Amino acid sequence: MAVQYAIRGTTSKGIAASVEQGVSDGALAPGAALPPVRRLADELGVSPGTVATAYKELRRRGIVVTRGRGGTVVAPAPAVASRRPPRVPEGLRDLAGGQPDPRLLPGLVPPVRLSPGTRPHRSAPRLERLEDSVRDWMRADGVPVEHVTFAYGALDLIGRLLSVELRPGDAVAMEDPGYHHLLDLVAALGLRSVPVAVDDEGMRPEALRGALRAGARAVVCSPRAQNPYGGRFTAERRDALAEVVRGEPDVLVVEDDHASGISGVPLETLSSAGLPRWAHVRSVSKFLGTDLRWAGAACDPVTLARHDGRLLLTSGWVSHLLQETVLGLMGDAATRACVERAQETYALRRGALVRELAARGISAHAVSGINVWVPVRDESAVVNGLRSCGWWVAAGARFRLSSGPGVRITVAELEPADAARLASDFAAVLDESEATYGG
């Protein structure tokens, strides 16, 4: 459908800014078609080259995409409009948020001194005691820990790694379906996402090989608790993926182990496969506290130097108060017991829903983590149908690049006793959807 928004400007920068404003305001929705270059040039009284330059800049920044004869359209998730979930309607049971059960989070352990006073933060950005704890934590799972660094959460760390390694227009191999904020981050950096299909064991080797042949210069993957599919690497899958990337010495492999403490499965990590360029990233918000925006990473020495060099020029260091808080929680016996209890509880809740769905002939995917992915034919019909039953689940569109439709259900607060009722409502909604749409 032709765009109704009046694009303005007499320079390439002005035209690009006008389109960006339309996208930010919502006047240009995802999928909206922009005018052909020559037509817009005639309307604005500028040369076709000026419009073409504007469109090129918008493509570089992830705001629009070109679909051959389909023309130029607003990107499905433009970098100026993140894939934020819709507001939960009042009175519904929220199973869409992807957040942990607050009752299973430990109480925060504040630093002994709330004001550490003057320190040489830039020359000593990481607390040695926290470095030691992180090394012990990761080493126990087979991650090489000679080089470690910190950041303000996994997205902050991964975004910095991609920004120093790649240039606008470069391609990144991304899980499909995958974590929507990571997909948005890649677009916001002006990079291209190349979809890599996943299954219960994570990225599929043949799909990853295809992404690398298509020019991907980095790979971002989840070794366990993959969001939203719930997959995890087995030893065999880890070895197969390592074989694919081992022949690409210039490709950076980033593992996002965001739910390590509550994944419910052991780690099979690519970081131990002898890859030349790699980073294993762990954050703690899913099991220590949603407001603890901290992440640690082990990586190869080149990646460490590039990350820390950019960190020094931006935030400089990660707050020592935040580091002290994380350190206090890591060393607290009650916190460790709370995390273990949370992992066991999430496994029970995850398994209960998968079994109840299977008993009604509905296949679902969730071997680790706190989310269940259910393939469906019509996302909107399922989301709206469950809404009428009092449930709010996440439509899969914001997690997908080219994979099939589905819905994500966060089971963090779904008691096993409620799983049967949800599964029955799900089955009824599917039956009604098939009757409505012709089976």
Side-chain angles (χ1 to χ4, degrees):
M1 182 175 66
V3 64
Q4 300 299 313
Y5 175 75
I7 299 173
R8 303 181 183 279
T10 57
T11 65
S12 61
K13 288 185 178 180
I15 295 168
S18 177
V19 173
E20 181 175 352
Q21 186 64 50
V23 174
S24 299
D25 293 344
L28 290 174
L34 301 189
V37 169
R38 290 190 178 276
R39 194 178 86 197
L40 183 58
D42 290 342
E43 293 174 357
L44 298 178
V46 300
S47 72
T50 299
V51 175
T53 300
Y55 283 11
K56 180 179 179 180
E57 172 65 14
L58 291 166
R59 284 195 301 273
R60 184 187 69 79
R61 294 169 52 207
I63 297 174
V64 303
V65 295
T66 298
R67 294 177 173 171
R69 294 184 179 181
T72 299
V73 302
V74 177
V80 295
S82 180
R83 307 181 198 207
R84 295 186 181 278
R87 187 182 302 274
V88 181
E90 188 174 351
L92 298 188
R93 181 80 177 275
D94 183 12
L95 302 178
Q99 296 300 325
D101 186 341
R103 298 168 297 180
L104 295 174
L105 293 174
L108 293 182
V109 178
V112 175
R113 293 176 297 164
L114 292 179
S115 178
T118 301
R119 289 180 179 176
H121 296 92
R122 289 186 181 273
S123 59
R126 295 184 291 276
L127 297 178
E128 289 187 11
R129 291 173 297 147
L130 184 54
E131 278 191 331
D132 291 341
S133 292
V134 168
R135 286 192 168 95
D136 291 343
W137 182 29
M138 294 187 180
R139 184 187 296 113
D141 289 325
V143 178
V145 293
E146 183 177 358
H147 306 283
V148 299
T149 190
F150 303 157
Y152 284 105
L155 287 172
D156 177 56
L157 205 156
I158 294 171
R160 191 174 294 111
L161 288 177
L162 295 179
S163 67
V164 298
E165 292 291 335
L166 308 182
R167 295 294 178 266
D170 285 346
V172 183
M174 301 292 292
E175 296 167 330
D176 184 25
Y179 182 40
H180 57 99
H181 286 310
L182 271 175
L183 297 176
D184 292 344
L185 175 63
V186 168
L189 294 173
L191 306 172
R192 295 183 294 111
S193 289
V194 180
V196 178
V198 301
D199 58 24
D200 290 335
E201 297 183 37
M203 278 186 165
R204 297 180 180 177
E206 68 278 7
L208 178 58
R209 183 175 289 107
L212 295 176
R213 287 173 177 169
R217 296 190 55 212
V219 179
V220 180
C221 59
S222 303
R224 51 186 173 177
Q226 195 272 345
N227 186 0
Y229 208 88
R232 55 77 176 92
F233 290 170
T234 59
E236 294 77 13
R237 176 60 58 85
R238 185 269 319 275
D239 291 345
L241 292 172
E243 185 64 25
V244 172
V245 296
R246 194 173 284 119
E248 303 286 346
D250 296 326
V251 170
L252 174 66
V253 177
V254 181
E255 283 188 334
D256 179 15
D257 194 19
H258 66 282
S260 57
I262 55 169
S263 66
V265 293
L267 176 70
E268 299 292 347
T269 175
L270 287 167
S271 67
S272 63
L275 306 179
R277 300 299 314 283
W278 61 274
H280 178 84
V281 182
R282 288 189 182 179
S283 51
V284 297
S285 61
K286 295 299 185 193
F287 51 92
L288 293 186
T290 55
D291 206 34
L292 282 179
R293 312 313 297 175
W294 175 91
C299 50
D300 67 86
V302 173
T303 298
L304 176 80
R306 292 179 179 177
H307 173 274
D308 285 5
R310 180 63 61 87
L311 177 68
L312 183 66
L313 296 174
T314 52
S315 56
W317 66 90
V318 174
S319 163
H320 282 202
L321 292 177
L322 176 59
Q323 292 187 52
E324 290 277 9
T325 301
V326 173
L327 178 63
L329 287 166
M330 284 186 169
D332 181 61
T335 294
R336 290 195 295 270
C338 182
V339 173
E340 290 177 4
R341 184 168 63 253
Q343 179 169 246
E344 294 170 356
T345 301
Y346 292 143
L348 287 173
R349 293 174 180 175
R350 185 176 67 242
L353 180 58
V354 171
R355 285 192 300 273
E356 293 291 350
L357 289 170
R360 292 158 179 81
I362 303 170
S363 63
H365 301 276
V367 294
S368 60
I370 61 174
N371 298 302
V372 173
W373 179 260
V374 187
V376 298
R377 191 178 66 174
D378 189 311
E379 293 178 0
S380 296
V382 171
V383 171
N384 290 328
L386 289 175
R387 175 178 180 173
S388 68
C389 299
W391 308 101
W392 187 245
V393 302
R398 71 179 190 269
F399 303 97
R400 299 188 289 109
L401 293 169
S402 60
S403 58
V407 296
R408 189 193 73 172
I409 303 173
T410 300
V411 298
E413 297 186 68
L414 184 70
E415 299 288 353
D418 295 327
R421 182 166 66 88
L422 173 57
S424 293
D425 289 341
F426 205 116
V429 167
L430 288 182
D431 288 342
E432 182 178 347
S433 174
E434 291 181 358
T436 301
Y437 294 99

